[in-house]
C-alpha cells in the first residue's frame, strides 16, 4: 500500500492539560522524506512553557498516584482499543513523516502495542510482597510512582519508541512529559488524542514540541524526576551526563553499528533473506539494522543471494525514503570514500531513481560494499542508511575480534546451522542483544530491549520487568502492632 502523505501542512501543537496549543518558540518546518514537501509546521517550546507544563503535570500526578493500579490499567486498555481502531491512519501519518513504508509503520505501532499489553498485565502481576520477618513484625515492599517523568525520542520510530515508555510510566502512576523528534512530531498528536479519548485525566500526558533547548529545559526542571532518552550516541551521552549531573535517574539508549557473522554452513535462503531485509528495512534507519557483514570463509553463494534480494527492491514500495537530504548526501559521500579506499561495490544505490511522482524526496538504493577494511569508517561509523559493509574474515575468532573492537554494543547476529558455533558467537558478542539466524534480533516483550557500551548509558531496561525499577520507587514498610515477649531485637 502506498503511503498517504498530508497534502496540506499540519499545524503541530503541544498537548498540555488535555488541550492542543501552539508553542511560542522558534518555528520549525517538517518535511516528508517521500516528496520533500512541507507537511507540518510547529513552534518550539520555551523554557517558560516547559515550566507551566511540568507544574500542571505535578499537580495531576498527585491525584493519579491515589488511583488504584487496576483503575489505571483500565485507561491503558481503552488506549489499546483506540490505537487499534486508528492503526491505519496513524501508520500512514508516521510513515509519511519518517520515510517508512506503510507496512513498516504499522509493524512499529504493533510492537509499541505489545508494550501496552505488558503494562495492562501489570495489574495481575505480583507488584509487592509481604513477609513476617520476625514474630509480630512484617516487612512489605510497595511500588510508588516517581512523580513527573520525561522521555525524549528519535525520528526513526515516531510511535514505537515512545510507546516503549508511555504505557509503563503512566500505569505505574507517573505523569509523563514527551518531547518527540522535531523531524517527526505529527504522530504525537494522534497518540495524545487517543490517550485523552481513553479517559486519561488532563495533565498526566504532556507533549512538548521542540529540539535541543526544549530537551535541556525539561532535563533541568527540578520537578522532572527521571529521563528516558533514545537517539544518537553523542546526544544520549550528553543527556545522560546532564541529567545524572543534576541527580536524576536517566536511561539513554544510543546509536549502533551492528554486525552479522555469516558462516559457510548457513542456510543460503535464510541468510540471504534475513541479512538483506535487516540492512534495507526502514531504509537502514533503525538501530538494529545490519551494518557490517563479517563474512567468514567462502560465503560467496550466500552473498549472491543477499545482493539478488536487495537489488530487486522497488524504491517507494519495498523500501522507503531517507529522513533528510543532508543524510542522503552523507551516505553518498560515505560510499564514495569506501570505494576510494579500495572497497568494491556489489550494489550501488547512489544512482537509484526516485519513484515516479516522488522526485523531490530523499532517495538512495540498497548498497553493498565488499572488501571493506576493519577499522575503516565504513566498518565502524554509524551510517544510518541502507548500506551493508562486508568485511572478509578467515575464522570466527577474527570476526569476533572485529565485532568486539567497535564502540557500540546494540546487536550482533550469526547465521549458521551449527548450534555449537552459534553458542560461540553468543558468548563472544559484546552486544546487549544477539540473534541466531535472525537479521534483526529484536526481543519481544517482556524481554525488553537495549545494548551495551556506547549504545546505552545507564542501568536496567527501558521496558519489560526490569523497567519497573526505573519508572518507580520501591518503598519498604516494616510494621508491628503488638508488643512481643520473645526477646527478638525487632520484636
Ligand atoms: P538524535 O540524537 O539526533 O535525536 C534524538 C532526540 O534528541 C530528538 O528528540 C532531538 O530533538 C533531541 N536532540 C537532538 N540533539 C540534541 C542535543 N544536542 N541535546 C539534547 N537533545 C537533542 O537522533 P535521531 O537522528 O532522531 O535518531 C537516530 C539515532 O537514534 C540513531 O543514532 C539510532 O541508532 C538511534 N536510535 C537508537 C535506538 C536504540 O534503541 N538504541 C532506537 C532508535 C534510534
Amino acid at each position: 500500500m502506498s503511503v498517504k502523505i498530508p497534502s496540506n501542512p499540519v499545524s503541530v501543537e503541544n498537548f498540555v492539560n488535555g488541550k492542543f496549543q501552539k508553542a511560542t518558540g522558534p518555528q520549525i518546518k517538517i518535511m516528508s522524506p517521500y516528496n520533500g514537501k512541507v507537511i507540518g509546521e510547529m513552534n518550539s517550546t520555551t523554557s517558560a512553557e516547559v515550566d507551566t507544563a511540568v507544574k500542571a503535570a505535578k499537580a495531576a500526578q498527585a491525584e493519579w498516584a491515589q488511583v488504584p493500579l487496576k483503575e489505571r490499567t483500565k485507561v491503558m486498555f481503552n488506549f489499546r482499543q483506540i490505537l487499534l481502531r486508528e492503526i491505519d491512519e496513524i501508520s500512514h501519518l508516521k510513515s509519511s513523516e519518517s520515510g517508512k513504508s506503510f507496512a513498516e509503520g504499522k509493524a512499529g505501532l504493533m510492537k509499541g502495542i505489545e508494550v501496552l499489553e505488558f503494562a495492562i498485565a501489570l495489574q495481575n502481576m505480583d507488584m509487592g510482597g509481604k513477609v513476617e520477618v520476625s514474630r509480630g513484625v512484617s516487612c512489605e515492599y510497595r511500588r510508588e510512582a516517581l512523580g513527573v517523568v520525561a522521555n525524549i525520542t528519535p525520528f526513526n520510530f515516531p510511535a514505537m519508541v515512545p510507546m516503549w515508555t508511555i504505557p509503563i510510566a503512566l500505569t505505574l502512576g507517573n505523569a509523563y512529559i514527551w518531547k518527540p523528534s522535531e523531524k517527526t512530531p505529527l504522530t504525537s498528536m494522534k497518540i495524545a488524542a487517543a490517550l485523552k479519548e481513553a479517559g486519561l485525566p488532563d495533565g498526566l500526558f504532556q507533549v512538548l514540541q521542540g529540539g535541543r533547548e526544549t530537551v535541556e529545559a525539561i532535563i533541568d526542571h527540578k520537578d522532572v524526576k527521571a529521563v528516558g532518552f533514545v537517539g544518537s550516541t553523542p546526544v544520549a551521552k550528553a543527556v545522560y551526563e546532564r541529567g545524572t549531573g543534576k541527580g536524576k535517574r536517566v536511561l539513554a539508549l544510543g546509536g549502533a553499528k551492528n554486525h552479522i557473522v555469516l558462516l559457510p554452513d548457513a542456510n543460503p535462503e535464510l541468510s540471504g533473506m534475513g541479512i538483506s531485509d535487516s540492512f534495507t528495512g526502514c531504509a537502514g534507519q533503525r538501530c538494529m539494522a545490519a551494518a557490517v557483514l563479517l563474512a567468514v570463509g567462502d560465503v560467496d553463494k550466500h552473498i549472491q543471494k543477499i545482493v539478488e534480494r536487495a537489488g530487486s527492491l522497488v524504491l517507494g514500495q519495498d523500501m522507503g525514503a531517507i529522513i533528510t537530504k543532508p543524510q542522503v548526501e552523507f551516505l553518498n559521500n560515505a560510499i564514495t570514500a569506501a570505494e576510494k579506499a579500495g572497497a568494491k561495490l556489489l550494489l550501488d544505490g547512489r544512482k537509484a531513481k526516485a519513484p515516479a511522482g516522488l522526485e523531490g524526496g530523499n532517495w538512495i538504493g540498497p548498497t553493498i560494499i565488499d572488501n571493506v577494511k576493519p577499522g575503516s569508517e565504513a566498518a565502524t561509523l554509524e551510517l544510518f542508511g541502507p548500506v551493508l559493509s562486508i568485511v572478509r574474515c578467515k575464522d570466527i575468532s577474527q570476526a569476533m575480534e572485529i565485532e568486539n573492537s567497535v564502540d557500540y554494543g546494540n546487536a550482533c547476529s550469526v547465521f549458521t546451522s551449527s548450534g555449537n558455533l552459534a553458542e560461540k558467537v553468543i558468548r563472544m558478542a559484546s552486544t546487549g542483544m544477539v540473534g541466531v539466524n535472525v537479521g534483526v534480533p529484536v526481543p519481544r516483550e517482556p524481554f525488553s530491549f537495549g545494548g551495551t557500551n556506547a549504545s546505552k548509558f545507564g542501568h536496567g531496561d527501558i521496558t519489560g520487568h526490569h523497567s519497573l525499577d526505573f519508572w518507580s520507587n520501591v518503598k519498604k514498610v516494616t510494621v508491628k502492632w503488638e508488643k512481643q515477649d520473645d526477646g527478638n531485637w525487632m520484636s
Side-chain angles (χ1 to χ4, degrees):
M1 193 191 290
S2 45
V3 170
K4 286 187 208 148
I5 303 163
S7 40
N8 294 314
V10 176
S11 172
V12 180
E13 297 180 328
N14 283 352
F15 184 74
V16 177
N17 279 336
K19 290 189 186 67
F20 287 105
Q21 52 190 249
K22 257 211 134 71
T24 61
Q27 202 194 41
I28 299 175
K29 287 191 190 311
I30 301 104
M31 252 88 82
S32 174
Y34 271 94
N35 59 13
K37 290 193 178 144
V38 175
I39 54 165
E41 285 168 349
M42 66 181 197
N43 292 81
S44 299
T45 309
T46 63
S47 44
E49 287 162 336
V50 169
D51 182 49
T52 304
V54 174
K55 279 188 177 136
K58 189 179 176 188
Q61 193 274 333
E63 287 184 33
W64 184 237
Q66 304 308 315
V67 175
L69 179 71
K70 266 192 183 274
E71 283 180 37
R72 287 188 228 132
T73 56
K74 281 200 176 72
V75 176
M76 292 300 132
F77 190 80
N78 297 341
F79 181 36
R80 177 180 179 277
Q81 302 300 90
I82 296 161
L83 290 180
L84 288 173
R85 188 191 73 204
E86 302 290 316
I87 193 159
D88 279 3
E89 201 186 325
I90 299 175
S91 303
H92 277 296
L93 194 63
K94 69 205 278 285
S95 301
S96 72
E97 60 178 342
S98 64
K100 286 182 197 305
S101 71
F102 175 76
E104 289 166 348
K106 198 163 176 170
L109 187 52
M110 284 310 296
K111 175 87 179 126
I113 288 173
E114 268 191 32
V115 180
L116 182 44
E117 287 162 356
F118 172 79
I120 291 168
L122 286 176
Q123 62 180 322
N124 297 324
M125 286 185 198
D126 179 13
M127 295 293 290
K130 191 171 176 180
V131 169
E132 189 174 24
V133 290
S134 176
R135 196 168 287 259
V137 179
S138 68
C139 280
E140 173 186 358
Y141 73 79
R142 297 182 188 185
R143 257 188 209 288
E144 291 192 345
L146 298 180
V148 181
V149 301
N151 202 35
I152 323 297
T153 54
F155 80 82
N156 63 327
F157 284 99
M160 182 189 82
V161 167
M163 288 291 292
W164 283 347
T165 55
I166 294 167
I168 297 175
L170 284 174
T171 303
L172 289 173
N174 300 289
Y176 186 100
I177 308 280
W178 175 20
K179 207 300 286 171
S181 165
E182 67 275 40
K183 293 180 190 131
T184 56
L186 274 66
T187 303
S188 66
M189 301 222 297
K190 292 279 171 202
I191 292 181
L195 275 166
K196 169 111 181 157
E197 188 187 337
L200 187 75
D202 292 348
L204 290 173
F205 184 73
Q206 318 273 56
V207 183
L208 304 179
Q209 310 291 358
R212 177 182 182 159
E213 285 74 26
T214 307
V215 172
E216 292 180 348
I218 293 170
I219 298 173
D220 293 353
H221 198 289
K222 69 176 178 32
D223 289 327
V224 171
K225 302 291 181 197
V227 179
F229 173 91
V230 180
S232 61
T233 287
V235 183
K237 190 165 182 281
V239 165
Y240 182 79
E241 285 170 355
R242 193 175 186 111
T244 52
K246 291 184 186 300
K248 309 210 169 175
R249 199 176 285 191
V250 183
L251 185 57
L253 273 53
K257 188 79 175 176
N258 304 313
H259 296 82
I260 293 199
V261 181
L262 177 60
L263 302 181
D265 68 349
N267 176 329
E269 300 300 329
L270 195 61
S271 55
M273 191 170 143
I275 297 168
S276 172
D277 292 1
S278 177
F279 90 92
T280 59
C282 300
Q285 299 164 106
R286 54 182 171 181
C287 64
M288 294 300 276
V292 180
L293 181 66
L294 298 168
V296 178
D298 181 5
V299 287
D300 283 354
K301 69 170 187 285
H302 301 76
I303 290 175
Q304 191 50 36
K305 295 267 179 212
I306 303 169
V307 174
E308 277 165 22
R309 187 171 170 92
S312 72
L313 299 181
V314 178
L315 282 193
Q317 279 179 38
D318 308 318
M319 199 177 91
I322 301 296
I323 189 69
T324 58
K325 291 202 188 309
Q327 176 62 8
V328 175
E329 202 182 319
F330 168 77
L331 292 170
N332 285 335
N333 291 341
I335 297 164
T336 305
E339 198 178 21
K340 278 195 184 144
K344 182 180 163 205
L345 283 170
L346 303 184
L347 205 55
D348 185 354
R350 285 174 296 183
K351 295 196 174 68
K353 259 184 85 184
L358 298 173
E359 289 78 6
N362 315 326
W363 301 100
I364 183 170
T367 300
I368 300 179
I369 316 173
D370 200 358
N371 290 323
V372 168
K373 290 190 186 68
S376 68
E377 285 206 338
T380 56
L381 195 70
E382 181 179 41
L383 299 181
F384 225 52
V387 181
L388 184 69
S389 301
I390 302 178
V391 177
R392 300 282 177 163
C393 308
K394 64 177 189 314
D395 54 27
I396 295 192
S397 301
Q398 189 193 11
M400 296 319 291
E401 208 174 291
I402 295 167
E403 191 279 331
N404 277 227
S405 70
V406 170
D407 292 341
Y408 298 103
N410 228 31
C412 173
S413 277
V414 57
F415 280 82
T416 178
S417 50
S418 157
N420 203 18
L421 296 178
E423 182 61 25
K424 194 166 177 163
V425 172
I426 295 169
R427 284 170 189 251
M428 291 174 88
S430 64
T431 57
M433 294 168 282
V434 185
V436 177
N437 295 322
V438 290
V440 185
V442 171
R444 303 289 294 257
E445 289 311 309
F447 287 91
S448 194
F449 184 97
T452 57
N453 303 326
S455 294
K456 187 168 98 172
F457 300 86
H459 299 284
D461 276 335
I462 200 151
T463 72
H465 298 286
H466 299 294
S467 71
L468 304 184
D469 286 339
F470 184 79
W471 298 113
S472 66
N473 277 329
V474 175
K475 182 179 270 178
K476 275 74 66 179
V477 183
T478 306
V479 178
K480 177 168 79 175
W481 292 108
E482 286 178 352
K483 180 177 176 299
Q484 301 290 328
D485 295 322
D486 65 348
N488 185 303
W489 66 270
M490 271 188 119
S491 302

